[in-house]
Amino acid sequence: YWLFRHFRPELRDTTGFIDYALHLSLQHQLSYWDALYVALALTRRCSLVTADARLYRSVNRSVPNVCLL
């Protein structure tokens, strides 16, 4: 609970990311849900930290702000 309160995650509307996430999904052979995370990180210019090695390998060359745990 402390971490949740400390970092205060934001709920974001993904409506504006639908087309972009679909494009990323097809381009990098990602699930649509993974592509939404990538699209959000790219548009917000923030890091995406993941433990998903497949996601990381799929995008690490073209999306530099994805970090593997």
Side-chain angles (χ1 to χ4, degrees), residues 24-47:
L24 290 170
S25 177
L26 296 172
Q27 181 181 10
H28 296 286
Q29 297 180 356
L30 300 171
S31 72
Y32 180 72
W33 304 113
D34 285 346
L36 277 172
Y37 286 114
V38 174
L40 183 61
L42 286 169
T43 57
R44 298 282 296 185
R45 294 187 178 107
C46 63
S47 295

Side-chain angles (χ1 to χ4, degrees), residues 5-27:
R5 287 188 49 203
H6 178 72
F7 289 107
R8 298 180 186 200
E10 293 180 32
L11 297 177
R12 304 290 300 181
D13 180 13
T14 59
T15 305
F17 299 103
I18 291 172
D19 291 336
Y20 190 34
L22 181 59
H23 169 76
L24 290 170
S25 177
L26 296 172
Q27 181 181 10

Side-chain angles (χ1 to χ4, degrees), residues 55-66:
L55 169 62
Y56 176 77
R57 283 191 312 270
S58 295
V59 299
N60 75 324
R61 292 185 182 183
S62 59
V63 183
N65 55 330
V66 177

